[in-house]
Amino acid sequence: MRTREGTLEGGRILTVADESAVIARVRSGEREAYAELVRAHTGIALRVAVACGAGADAEDVVQTAFIKAYLSLGSFKDGAPFRPWLIRIVANETRNTVRSAVRLRAVAGREAALLRGEPRIPDSADPAVAAVEEERSAELWAALDELSDDHRDVVACRYLLEMNEAETAEALGWPRGTVKSRLSRALKLMGGLLAPASGSGSGSEKSERGGGGGHD
C-alpha cells in the first residue's frame, strides 16, 4: 500500500497550495517556515536516497539535498508540487555521493534501511519460506546494484517508491518515453542477472550494464 507523503506532525497533509504558501513565506524572509517542508518530505527523501544507492550516507545526502533545494527556491516554479522537484535533487545528490565514494555497499544494510519497521513476512511464517524469501531478496538487491545509475534510479522510482510513470518522469527529469525505455531495459538486464548463470554470455552482459548516463 502506498503511503501518503507531505504529511506534517499531527497528520495534516500538505497540499500543493499549502506548499506554495510555505515557499512564498520563505521567499519573503520567513526562513524558519522551510522546516514545514523538511518535516513533510524527509521520509520520501530518505527512501529515495537509500533506493538510489546512498546506503549509510542517506541522511547526509538528504540534508545536503534540502539545503540545495532551499538555496534554489528562487527558481522553483510557482504552483508546482514540491515533492518531484525535491526527489530529483535527492537523486542527483545521491549519484554525486556514490560516484565520489568507494562503492562498497552492504546489500543487507540497504535493505534494512529501506524496509525498517516493515517486516516482510509474519513471525509465524514457515522458517524455510523465510529463508528462501531472504535469499531471493538478497539476489534482487545484488542485481539492482549491478545496474547503471539511470537504470537503478528508474527501477527504484517505479517499484521501490511505487511512483507512476508521470511521477517518475518528473522526478528524474526525463521524458515519459525515456522512462519507458530505460525501465524496460533495466528489467531485462535484471532478468538476465537473476537467471541461472549460463557462463557464455556474462561478458557481453557486463559490457551492457556499465556506464551511467548515455544509453537507454
Side-chain angles (χ1 to χ4, degrees):
M1 180 182 296
R2 294 187 63 174
T3 57
R4 298 186 70 182
E5 300 300 337
T7 307
L8 291 172
E9 294 176 7
R12 185 170 73 85
I13 304 294
L14 273 186
T15 65
V16 173
D18 291 332
E19 292 174 347
S20 296
V22 171
I23 291 170
R25 287 161 56 197
V26 175
R27 286 171 170 171
S28 68
E30 191 181 338
R31 291 179 296 180
E32 59 274 16
Y34 188 65
E36 294 185 36
L37 294 175
V38 173
R39 286 195 299 270
H41 296 286
T42 292
I44 185 67
L46 282 170
R47 289 200 293 280
V48 169
V50 171
C52 291
D57 296 323
E59 290 187 2
D60 290 339
V61 165
V62 168
Q63 184 177 19
T64 300
F66 271 117
I67 291 172
K68 288 187 174 182
Y70 174 81
L71 295 174
S72 301
L73 279 181
S75 62
F76 182 75
K77 182 180 178 181
D78 289 333
F82 184 76
R83 187 182 77 159
W85 186 70
L86 174 68
I87 286 174
R88 191 183 310 172
I89 294 173
V90 173
N92 288 338
E93 185 62 27
T94 301
R95 289 186 181 190
N96 292 338
T97 298
V98 169
R99 285 169 178 167
S100 65
V102 178
R103 294 189 59 185
L104 295 176
R105 304 296 185 193
V107 170
R110 280 183 51 192
E111 181 183 28
L114 184 64
L115 301 177
R116 186 176 297 131
E118 299 180 19
R120 289 180 292 106
I121 55 175
D123 292 338
S124 59
D126 186 335
V129 174
V132 171
E133 187 72 17
E134 190 76 28
E135 181 179 354
R136 185 60 174 172
S137 180
E139 290 173 355
L140 287 169
W141 278 100
L144 192 62
D145 273 340
E146 288 292 313
L147 299 181
S148 68
D149 290 341
D150 286 345
H151 290 147
R152 183 171 57 251
D153 289 354
V154 73
V155 171
C157 285
R158 291 289 280 117
Y159 294 108
L160 301 181
L161 301 173
E162 299 183 33
M163 294 181 181
N164 61 34
E165 189 177 279
E167 290 171 329
T168 300
E170 188 168 4
L172 297 178
W174 300 343
R176 290 180 66 166
T178 300
V179 170
K180 286 182 179 179
S181 63
R182 288 183 178 169
L183 179 62
S184 175
R185 183 62 181 148
L187 294 178
K188 182 178 179 180
L189 288 171
M190 287 189 72
L193 290 165
L194 292 170
S198 62
S200 61
S202 59
S204 60
E205 279 291 332
K206 277 193 174 292
S207 66
E208 291 185 64
R209 273 183 251 137
H215 58 83
D216 289 340

